[in-house]
Structures are given as structure tokens and as C-alpha cells.
Amino acid sequence: YTMGASGSGLRAITLSSDDYRYPAWSPTGLEIACARFDASTRRRQIVVMNADGSNPRALSDTSDNAAFPQWSRDGSRIYYWVQRFGVKARSLNGSFNASMAGFYPTSISWSPNGQWFPEADSVSIVIIRADLSSFSRLGITGVEPKVSSDGNWLLYRRTNLAGAADLYVARTDGKDENRVTTSQYGDLTASWKP
């Protein structure tokens, strides 16, 4: 469905019998990427369609069980995670196809220049190149890292031994880490001011 910000103009853009999830608007607002369940393969496939639901086309492989599509900053590629593998990226015109095992981004926070994004695994926060050719470990732990608008800082969450989450910031090279909240109940999320 699409609708106006006021809730008016509700309009179905897919068939009601289809199971579409994780919609992501393209930067131009002209297309939507989402994960569609394919009953014949019992897997989710990344599909791209026009904003009105017309011209749906599969982007991911039918062997992938894919979810969480996300557009590159310039809209030329779509990144998505594949169950039991990691992250894949494809261009709409087929000129780019890359993958990296072990990372499962559900919400990419792009650097201002679109050349990298932070992600976390069970070991540490990493910086992943946009072409998925390499990553570098920062030596800090946390989840859901977000890049500041100037590209110099990361904001992320870390759970302490008592089970409460606090928010931290660190430079994008992992230095100058600082806990910015202390809560007995936990701080689950935050975002940078643009």
C-alpha cells in the first residue's frame, strides 16, 4: 500500500494474495524494492517495482532467501541480506553483482559519499566498502552503528553485563569511544541530527 502523510489516499500497489515485506523507496521515489515470498520455492526474493506497483521484476537469485533490501545512496544498487550467507548487492541494469559472507545489514547507514557503511557482527563493528570488496574491523563492539552526517562519527548500542543497553559514539576509525548514556533500563536506539 501507499498513502499520503496524513493517511489519506490509501492505495494497494500489489495483489492482496502476495506476501511483500521490507519495502524500501529508491532515493528518487520512483521505485520500491521489497522482499516477495515465492510459494513455489518457499523463499523470499528481492523485487523492484515502479512506485505504483507496475513493472515488478526480480533482482535476487531464486536460490536466495533474501530480505531487507536497501538502496545505495545514489540509487544505482540494491543491497540485501541472504539467509545463512550474508549481504549481496546488485545494480538494476545488471552491471554490478557482489557479495560478502557473514554480515547481515538490516538498515544501512551510508557514509556521506556513499563509499562505505558500518555494520556489526559477533566480533566487532566494521566498515564495509560499498563494492563489498573488503571490510576493516574497528576494534569496538556494538550493534546498529549509524554514521554522523559529516561521516566522522559512529553512534551504536552496546549491552552491558546487567543486560541494559547504553549508547556510545566513536570516530569512524574506532578511536575516541565514549559512552553517552547510562541507564538501568537500557537505551535501545537513537539517531543523528542531519
Side-chain angles (χ1 to χ4, degrees):
Y1 290 90
T2 60
M3 71 174 86
S6 67
S8 63
L10 181 66
R11 190 165 81 83
I13 61 169
T14 62
L15 299 174
S16 61
S17 62
D18 290 340
D19 181 3
Y20 289 89
R21 296 186 186 188
Y22 319 113
W25 285 97
S26 67
T28 63
L30 299 176
E31 294 176 298
I32 300 170
C34 57
R36 177 181 66 196
F37 183 73
D38 184 336
S40 65
T41 63
R42 310 274 316 144
R43 297 176 186 273
R44 291 199 180 279
Q45 189 171 27
I46 302 304
V47 174
V48 179
M49 65 184 77
N50 295 338
D52 64 1
S54 65
N55 193 27
R57 55 223 179 265
L59 185 73
S60 61
D61 298 326
T62 55
S63 61
D64 291 342
N65 195 12
F68 302 107
Q70 297 159 81
W71 294 83
S72 60
R73 187 174 280 284
D74 67 3
S76 66
R77 300 174 183 166
I78 296 177
Y79 294 71
Y80 55 95
W81 71 253
V82 176
Q83 186 177 21
R84 295 188 191 101
F85 174 75
V87 62
K88 289 189 176 185
R90 293 231 169 121
S91 61
L92 297 178
N93 66 11
S95 65
F96 181 81
N97 184 6
S99 61
M100 180 178 282
F103 297 100
Y104 297 89
T106 58
S107 180
I108 292 177
S109 174
W110 286 104
S111 64
N113 63 8
Q115 297 299 305
W116 57 269
F117 60 92
E119 184 54 40
D121 66 6
S122 61
V123 178
S124 70
I125 294 176
V126 300
I127 299 294
I128 300 176
R129 290 178 47 91
D131 64 4
L132 302 183
S133 64
S134 65
F135 68 90
S136 57
R137 291 201 178 277
L138 300 184
I140 53 177
T141 59
V143 295
E144 299 178 6
K146 297 176 179 136
V147 183
S148 62
S149 60
D150 64 7
N152 294 323
W153 293 90
L154 297 175
L155 170 67
Y156 50 95
R157 183 179 80 234
R158 182 184 305 153
T159 303
N160 61 33
L161 295 175
D166 293 318
L167 299 175
Y168 289 75
V169 295
R171 294 197 174 275
T172 53
D173 62 3
K175 295 182 174 142
D176 298 328
E177 182 181 58
N178 185 34
R179 184 171 64 191
V180 294
T181 67
T182 305
S183 171
Q184 72 181 70
Y185 303 109
D187 298 305
L188 298 179
T189 189
S191 62
W192 290 104
K193 180 180 177 182

mmCIF file of all heavy atoms in Angstrom, residues 2-41:
data_model
loop_
_atom_site.group_PDB
_atom_site.id
_atom_site.type_symbol
_atom_site.label_atom_id
_atom_site.label_comp_id
_atom_site.label_asym_id
_atom_site.label_seq_id
_atom_site.Cartn_x
_atom_site.Cartn_y
_atom_site.Cartn_z
ATOM 1 N N THR A 2 0.352 2.295 -0.587
ATOM 2 C CA THR A 2 0.940 3.620 -0.447
ATOM 3 C C THR A 2 -0.163 4.534 0.074
ATOM 4 O O THR A 2 -1.354 4.262 -0.107
ATOM 5 C CB THR A 2 1.484 4.178 -1.781
ATOM 6 O OG1 THR A 2 0.418 4.262 -2.732
ATOM 7 C CG2 THR A 2 2.613 3.316 -2.318
ATOM 8 N N MET A 3 0.249 5.635 0.735
ATOM 9 C CA MET A 3 -0.720 6.617 1.217
ATOM 10 C C MET A 3 -0.002 7.933 1.460
ATOM 11 O O MET A 3 1.231 7.971 1.543
ATOM 12 C CB MET A 3 -1.395 6.139 2.503
ATOM 13 C CG MET A 3 -0.485 6.145 3.715
ATOM 14 S SD MET A 3 -1.318 5.739 5.244
ATOM 15 C CE MET A 3 -1.240 3.976 5.213
ATOM 16 N N GLY A 4 -0.760 8.971 1.577
ATOM 17 C CA GLY A 4 -0.214 10.280 1.892
ATOM 18 C C GLY A 4 0.201 10.353 3.352
ATOM 19 O O GLY A 4 -0.175 9.508 4.168
ATOM 20 N N ALA A 5 0.961 11.366 3.702
ATOM 21 C CA ALA A 5 1.456 11.535 5.071
ATOM 22 C C ALA A 5 0.315 11.689 6.077
ATOM 23 O O ALA A 5 0.459 11.345 7.246
ATOM 24 C CB ALA A 5 2.387 12.742 5.154
ATOM 25 N N SER A 6 -0.828 12.153 5.631
ATOM 26 C CA SER A 6 -1.986 12.319 6.521
ATOM 27 C C SER A 6 -2.771 11.036 6.692
ATOM 28 O O SER A 6 -3.708 10.983 7.473
ATOM 29 C CB SER A 6 -2.907 13.403 5.960
ATOM 30 O OG SER A 6 -3.486 12.945 4.742
ATOM 31 N N GLY A 7 -2.406 10.001 5.925
ATOM 32 C CA GLY A 7 -3.145 8.743 5.956
ATOM 33 C C GLY A 7 -4.190 8.655 4.866
ATOM 34 O O GLY A 7 -4.846 7.629 4.703
ATOM 35 N N SER A 8 -4.338 9.713 4.111
ATOM 36 C CA SER A 8 -5.325 9.713 3.031
ATOM 37 C C SER A 8 -4.728 9.094 1.772
ATOM 38 O O SER A 8 -3.520 8.951 1.634
ATOM 39 C CB SER A 8 -5.760 11.146 2.733
ATOM 40 O OG SER A 8 -4.645 11.898 2.278
ATOM 41 N N GLY A 9 -5.586 8.732 0.862
ATOM 42 C CA GLY A 9 -5.142 8.208 -0.425
ATOM 43 C C GLY A 9 -4.577 6.798 -0.360
ATOM 44 O O GLY A 9 -3.727 6.431 -1.161
ATOM 45 N N LEU A 10 -5.053 5.990 0.576
ATOM 46 C CA LEU A 10 -4.581 4.608 0.699
ATOM 47 C C LEU A 10 -4.853 3.858 -0.597
ATOM 48 O O LEU A 10 -5.965 3.867 -1.110
ATOM 49 C CB LEU A 10 -5.298 3.917 1.868
ATOM 50 C CG LEU A 10 -4.901 2.476 2.143
ATOM 51 C CD1 LEU A 10 -3.450 2.412 2.626
ATOM 52 C CD2 LEU A 10 -5.831 1.873 3.186
ATOM 53 N N ARG A 11 -3.796 3.223 -1.144
ATOM 54 C CA ARG A 11 -3.927 2.541 -2.427
ATOM 55 C C ARG A 11 -3.076 1.284 -2.436
ATOM 56 O O ARG A 11 -1.884 1.320 -2.126
ATOM 57 C CB ARG A 11 -3.471 3.482 -3.539
ATOM 58 C CG ARG A 11 -3.774 2.996 -4.917
ATOM 59 C CD ARG A 11 -3.624 4.123 -5.911
ATOM 60 N NE ARG A 11 -2.259 4.358 -6.295
ATOM 61 C CZ ARG A 11 -1.615 3.664 -7.230
ATOM 62 N NH1 ARG A 11 -2.199 2.670 -7.840
ATOM 63 N NH2 ARG A 11 -0.380 3.963 -7.549
ATOM 64 N N ALA A 12 -3.693 0.165 -2.791
ATOM 65 C CA ALA A 12 -2.950 -1.099 -2.920
ATOM 66 C C ALA A 12 -2.113 -1.041 -4.191
ATOM 67 O O ALA A 12 -2.604 -0.646 -5.250
ATOM 68 C CB ALA A 12 -3.914 -2.268 -2.981
ATOM 69 N N ILE A 13 -0.844 -1.417 -4.077
ATOM 70 C CA ILE A 13 0.015 -1.445 -5.269
ATOM 71 C C ILE A 13 0.471 -2.862 -5.615
ATOM 72 O O ILE A 13 1.155 -3.066 -6.616
ATOM 73 C CB ILE A 13 1.241 -0.518 -5.118
ATOM 74 C CG1 ILE A 13 2.116 -0.955 -3.952
ATOM 75 C CG2 ILE A 13 0.806 0.932 -4.976
ATOM 76 C CD1 ILE A 13 3.458 -0.241 -3.912
ATOM 77 N N THR A 14 0.090 -3.840 -4.791
ATOM 78 C CA THR A 14 0.383 -5.244 -5.090
ATOM 79 C C THR A 14 -0.894 -6.046 -4.919
ATOM 80 O O THR A 14 -1.863 -5.573 -4.319
ATOM 81 C CB THR A 14 1.463 -5.819 -4.141
ATOM 82 O OG1 THR A 14 0.979 -5.781 -2.797
ATOM 83 C CG2 THR A 14 2.765 -5.052 -4.256
ATOM 84 N N LEU A 15 -0.891 -7.257 -5.423
ATOM 85 C CA LEU A 15 -2.043 -8.128 -5.259
ATOM 86 C C LEU A 15 -2.171 -8.518 -3.798
ATOM 87 O O LEU A 15 -1.182 -8.826 -3.142
ATOM 88 C CB LEU A 15 -1.888 -9.386 -6.122
ATOM 89 C CG LEU A 15 -1.782 -9.155 -7.625
ATOM 90 C CD1 LEU A 15 -1.491 -10.470 -8.328
ATOM 91 C CD2 LEU A 15 -3.061 -8.537 -8.151
ATOM 92 N N SER A 16 -3.391 -8.539 -3.291
ATOM 93 C CA SER A 16 -3.599 -8.825 -1.871
ATOM 94 C C SER A 16 -3.142 -10.224 -1.487
ATOM 95 O O SER A 16 -2.822 -10.477 -0.332
ATOM 96 C CB SER A 16 -5.066 -8.622 -1.503
ATOM 97 O OG SER A 16 -5.877 -9.510 -2.250
ATOM 98 N N SER A 17 -3.115 -11.155 -2.425
ATOM 99 C CA SER A 17 -2.699 -12.517 -2.102
ATOM 100 C C SER A 17 -1.172 -12.667 -2.034
ATOM 101 O O SER A 17 -0.672 -13.676 -1.553
ATOM 102 C CB SER A 17 -3.263 -13.499 -3.134
ATOM 103 O OG SER A 17 -2.749 -13.182 -4.417
ATOM 104 N N ASP A 18 -0.440 -11.690 -2.515
ATOM 105 C CA ASP A 18 1.026 -11.753 -2.471
ATOM 106 C C ASP A 18 1.532 -11.288 -1.118
ATOM 107 O O ASP A 18 0.948 -10.424 -0.482
ATOM 108 C CB ASP A 18 1.639 -10.876 -3.568
ATOM 109 C CG ASP A 18 1.411 -11.449 -4.950
ATOM 110 O OD1 ASP A 18 1.127 -12.656 -5.051
ATOM 111 O OD2 ASP A 18 1.512 -10.691 -5.925
ATOM 112 N N ASP A 19 2.639 -11.863 -0.690
ATOM 113 C CA ASP A 19 3.252 -11.523 0.595
ATOM 114 C C ASP A 19 4.512 -10.700 0.324
ATOM 115 O O ASP A 19 5.556 -11.252 -0.017
ATOM 116 C CB ASP A 19 3.584 -12.812 1.352
ATOM 117 C CG ASP A 19 4.200 -12.558 2.715
ATOM 118 O OD1 ASP A 19 4.329 -11.389 3.120
ATOM 119 O OD2 ASP A 19 4.569 -13.541 3.380
ATOM 120 N N TYR A 20 4.399 -9.379 0.442
ATOM 121 C CA TYR A 20 5.524 -8.463 0.252
ATOM 122 C C TYR A 20 5.922 -7.886 1.602
ATOM 123 O O TYR A 20 5.058 -7.503 2.381
ATOM 124 C CB TYR A 20 5.135 -7.307 -0.673
ATOM 125 C CG TYR A 20 4.952 -7.693 -2.113
ATOM 126 C CD1 TYR A 20 3.720 -8.127 -2.584
ATOM 127 C CD2 TYR A 20 6.004 -7.604 -3.007
ATOM 128 C CE1 TYR A 20 3.537 -8.468 -3.912
ATOM 129 C CE2 TYR A 20 5.836 -7.932 -4.340
ATOM 130 C CZ TYR A 20 4.603 -8.375 -4.786
ATOM 131 O OH TYR A 20 4.436 -8.708 -6.092
ATOM 132 N N ARG A 21 7.235 -7.814 1.853
ATOM 133 C CA ARG A 21 7.718 -7.244 3.117
ATOM 134 C C ARG A 21 8.950 -6.387 2.883
ATOM 135 O O ARG A 21 9.586 -6.466 1.861
ATOM 136 C CB ARG A 21 8.066 -8.358 4.107
ATOM 137 C CG ARG A 21 6.853 -9.160 4.499
ATOM 138 C CD ARG A 21 7.164 -10.142 5.573
ATOM 139 N NE ARG A 21 5.985 -10.973 5.807
ATOM 140 C CZ ARG A 21 5.879 -11.821 6.787
ATOM 141 N NH1 ARG A 21 6.858 -11.972 7.644
ATOM 142 N NH2 ARG A 21 4.787 -12.537 6.930
ATOM 143 N N TYR A 22 9.297 -5.605 3.906
ATOM 144 C CA TYR A 22 10.520 -4.798 3.947
ATOM 145 C C TYR A 22 10.619 -3.815 2.777
ATOM 146 O O TYR A 22 11.632 -3.754 2.096
ATOM 147 C CB TYR A 22 11.773 -5.689 3.988
ATOM 148 C CG TYR A 22 11.643 -6.879 4.893
ATOM 149 C CD1 TYR A 22 11.629 -8.173 4.374
ATOM 150 C CD2 TYR A 22 11.502 -6.718 6.265
ATOM 151 C CE1 TYR A 22 11.490 -9.281 5.202
ATOM 152 C CE2 TYR A 22 11.368 -7.825 7.096
ATOM 153 C CZ TYR A 22 11.361 -9.094 6.559
ATOM 154 O OH TYR A 22 11.226 -10.187 7.375
ATOM 155 N N PRO A 23 9.595 -3.013 2.528
ATOM 156 C CA PRO A 23 9.669 -2.073 1.404
ATOM 157 C C PRO A 23 10.729 -0.991 1.633
ATOM 158 O O PRO A 23 10.944 -0.540 2.759
ATOM 159 C CB PRO A 23 8.270 -1.460 1.361
ATOM 160 C CG PRO A 23 7.778 -1.571 2.777
ATOM 161 C CD PRO A 23 8.366 -2.855 3.308
ATOM 162 N N ALA A 24 11.392 -0.606 0.568
ATOM 163 C CA ALA A 24 12.410 0.452 0.620
ATOM 164 C C ALA A 24 12.259 1.323 -0.626
ATOM 165 O O ALA A 24 12.356 0.830 -1.750
ATOM 166 C CB ALA A 24 13.811 -0.159 0.675
ATOM 167 N N TRP A 25 12.023 2.602 -0.413
ATOM 168 C CA TRP A 25 11.895 3.544 -1.525
ATOM 169 C C TRP A 25 13.264 3.848 -2.120
ATOM 170 O O TRP A 25 14.250 3.988 -1.403
ATOM 171 C CB TRP A 25 11.276 4.863 -1.045
ATOM 172 C CG TRP A 25 9.808 4.781 -0.793
ATOM 173 C CD1 TRP A 25 9.201 4.571 0.411
ATOM 174 C CD2 TRP A 25 8.768 4.917 -1.750
ATOM 175 N NE1 TRP A 25 7.841 4.561 0.247
ATOM 176 C CE2 TRP A 25 7.549 4.776 -1.071
ATOM 177 C CE3 TRP A 25 8.754 5.137 -3.122
ATOM 178 C CZ2 TRP A 25 6.320 4.851 -1.717
ATOM 179 C CZ3 TRP A 25 7.532 5.218 -3.766
ATOM 180 C CH2 TRP A 25 6.324 5.081 -3.068
ATOM 181 N N SER A 26 13.306 3.996 -3.432
ATOM 182 C CA SER A 26 14.534 4.445 -4.092
ATOM 183 C C SER A 26 14.763 5.906 -3.718
ATOM 184 O O SER A 26 13.820 6.614 -3.339
ATOM 185 C CB SER A 26 14.414 4.307 -5.616
ATOM 186 O OG SER A 26 13.442 5.216 -6.117
ATOM 187 N N PRO A 27 16.005 6.397 -3.815
ATOM 188 C CA PRO A 27 16.271 7.803 -3.485
ATOM 189 C C PRO A 27 15.442 8.788 -4.313
ATOM 190 O O PRO A 27 15.109 9.857 -3.841
ATOM 191 C CB PRO A 27 17.762 7.960 -3.768
ATOM 192 C CG PRO A 27 18.327 6.593 -3.584
ATOM 193 C CD PRO A 27 17.249 5.665 -4.084
ATOM 194 N N THR A 28 15.068 8.403 -5.533
ATOM 195 C CA THR A 28 14.264 9.292 -6.375
ATOM 196 C C THR A 28 12.781 9.226 -6.045
ATOM 197 O O THR A 28 12.010 10.084 -6.480
ATOM 198 C CB THR A 28 14.438 8.916 -7.861
ATOM 199 O OG1 THR A 28 13.937 7.567 -8.042
ATOM 200 C CG2 THR A 28 15.877 9.019 -8.301
ATOM 201 N N GLY A 29 12.358 8.181 -5.320
ATOM 202 C CA GLY A 29 10.946 7.997 -5.027
ATOM 203 C C GLY A 29 10.158 7.407 -6.176
ATOM 204 O O GLY A 29 8.938 7.324 -6.118
ATOM 205 N N LEU A 30 10.847 6.957 -7.223
ATOM 206 C CA LEU A 30 10.165 6.411 -8.388
ATOM 207 C C LEU A 30 10.000 4.898 -8.353
ATOM 208 O O LEU A 30 9.202 4.347 -9.110
ATOM 209 C CB LEU A 30 10.920 6.804 -9.666
ATOM 210 C CG LEU A 30 11.035 8.307 -9.929
ATOM 211 C CD1 LEU A 30 11.885 8.559 -11.161
ATOM 212 C CD2 LEU A 30 9.645 8.914 -10.081
ATOM 213 N N GLU A 31 10.766 4.226 -7.484
ATOM 214 C CA GLU A 31 10.712 2.772 -7.409
ATOM 215 C C GLU A 31 10.708 2.310 -5.953
ATOM 216 O O GLU A 31 11.136 3.034 -5.058
ATOM 217 C CB GLU A 31 11.909 2.143 -8.128
ATOM 218 C CG GLU A 31 11.907 2.392 -9.627
ATOM 219 C CD GLU A 31 13.149 1.849 -10.283
ATOM 220 O OE1 GLU A 31 14.248 2.319 -9.938
ATOM 221 O OE2 GLU A 31 13.014 0.954 -11.130
ATOM 222 N N ILE A 32 10.252 1.079 -5.763
ATOM 223 C CA ILE A 32 10.243 0.441 -4.459
ATOM 224 C C ILE A 32 10.901 -0.926 -4.604
ATOM 225 O O ILE A 32 10.596 -1.671 -5.539
ATOM 226 C CB ILE A 32 8.805 0.249 -3.929
ATOM 227 C CG1 ILE A 32 8.084 1.595 -3.802
ATOM 228 C CG2 ILE A 32 8.810 -0.475 -2.585
ATOM 229 C CD1 ILE A 32 6.604 1.463 -3.510
ATOM 230 N N ALA A 33 11.790 -1.244 -3.682
ATOM 231 C CA ALA A 33 12.343 -2.596 -3.595
ATOM 232 C C ALA A 33 11.711 -3.252 -2.385
ATOM 233 O O ALA A 33 11.446 -2.604 -1.370
ATOM 234 C CB ALA A 33 13.860 -2.553 -3.441
ATOM 235 N N CYS A 34 11.430 -4.544 -2.466
ATOM 236 C CA CYS A 34 10.855 -5.261 -1.338
ATOM 237 C C CYS A 34 11.166 -6.745 -1.483
ATOM 238 O O CYS A 34 11.701 -7.183 -2.493
ATOM 239 C CB CYS A 34 9.350 -5.034 -1.254
ATOM 240 S SG CYS A 34 8.465 -5.488 -2.742
ATOM 241 N N ALA A 35 10.840 -7.500 -0.453
ATOM 242 C CA ALA A 35 11.025 -8.951 -0.484
ATOM 243 C C ALA A 35 9.658 -9.592 -0.684
ATOM 244 O O ALA A 35 8.726 -9.333 0.070
ATOM 245 C CB ALA A 35 11.664 -9.432 0.810
ATOM 246 N N ARG A 36 9.548 -10.411 -1.714
ATOM 247 C CA ARG A 36 8.274 -11.090 -2.036
ATOM 248 C C ARG A 36 8.445 -12.581 -1.790
ATOM 249 O O ARG A 36 9.415 -13.195 -2.229
ATOM 250 C CB ARG A 36 7.896 -10.851 -3.491
ATOM 251 C CG ARG A 36 6.622 -11.586 -3.909
ATOM 252 C CD ARG A 36 6.275 -11.354 -5.345
ATOM 253 N NE ARG A 36 7.306 -11.955 -6.192
ATOM 254 C CZ ARG A 36 7.466 -11.671 -7.478
ATOM 255 N NH1 ARG A 36 6.696 -10.776 -8.060
ATOM 256 N NH2 ARG A 36 8.408 -12.258 -8.185
ATOM 257 N N PHE A 37 7.493 -13.174 -1.087
ATOM 258 C CA PHE A 37 7.532 -14.609 -0.839
ATOM 259 C C PHE A 37 7.091 -15.347 -2.088
ATOM 260 O O PHE A 37 6.047 -15.071 -2.661
ATOM 261 C CB PHE A 37 6.623 -14.981 0.336
ATOM 262 C CG PHE A 37 6.664 -16.432 0.683
ATOM 263 C CD1 PHE A 37 7.775 -16.975 1.312
ATOM 264 C CD2 PHE A 37 5.601 -17.259 0.377
ATOM 265 C CE1 PHE A 37 7.825 -18.322 1.630
ATOM 266 C CE2 PHE A 37 5.630 -18.606 0.696
ATOM 267 C CZ PHE A 37 6.753 -19.133 1.320
ATOM 268 N N ASP A 38 7.909 -16.315 -2.518
ATOM 269 C CA ASP A 38 7.606 -17.148 -3.674
ATOM 270 C C ASP A 38 7.163 -18.516 -3.157
ATOM 271 O O ASP A 38 7.973 -19.281 -2.632
ATOM 272 C CB ASP A 38 8.855 -17.279 -4.551
ATOM 273 C CG ASP A 38 8.607 -18.060 -5.822
ATOM 274 O OD1 ASP A 38 7.659 -18.868 -5.864
ATOM 275 O OD2 ASP A 38 9.376 -17.875 -6.773
ATOM 276 N N ALA A 39 5.886 -18.813 -3.285
ATOM 277 C CA ALA A 39 5.345 -20.069 -2.750
ATOM 278 C C ALA A 39 5.955 -21.289 -3.418
ATOM 279 O O ALA A 39 6.088 -22.334 -2.790
ATOM 280 C CB ALA A 39 3.825 -20.085 -2.899
ATOM 281 N N SER A 40 6.367 -21.172 -4.676
ATOM 282 C CA SER A 40 6.922 -22.340 -5.371
ATOM 283 C C SER A 40 8.304 -22.727 -4.842
ATOM 284 O O SER A 40 8.652 -23.903 -4.842
ATOM 285 C CB SER A 40 6.996 -22.083 -6.882
ATOM 286 O OG SER A 40 7.919 -21.047 -7.171
ATOM 287 N N THR A 41 9.091 -21.758 -4.385
ATOM 288 C CA THR A 41 10.430 -22.062 -3.850
ATOM 289 C C THR A 41 10.470 -21.998 -2.333
ATOM 290 O O THR A 41 11.458 -22.392 -1.726
ATOM 291 C CB THR A 41 11.478 -21.079 -4.403
ATOM 292 O OG1 THR A 41 11.153 -19.758 -3.955
ATOM 293 C CG2 THR A 41 11.551 -21.134 -5.918
#
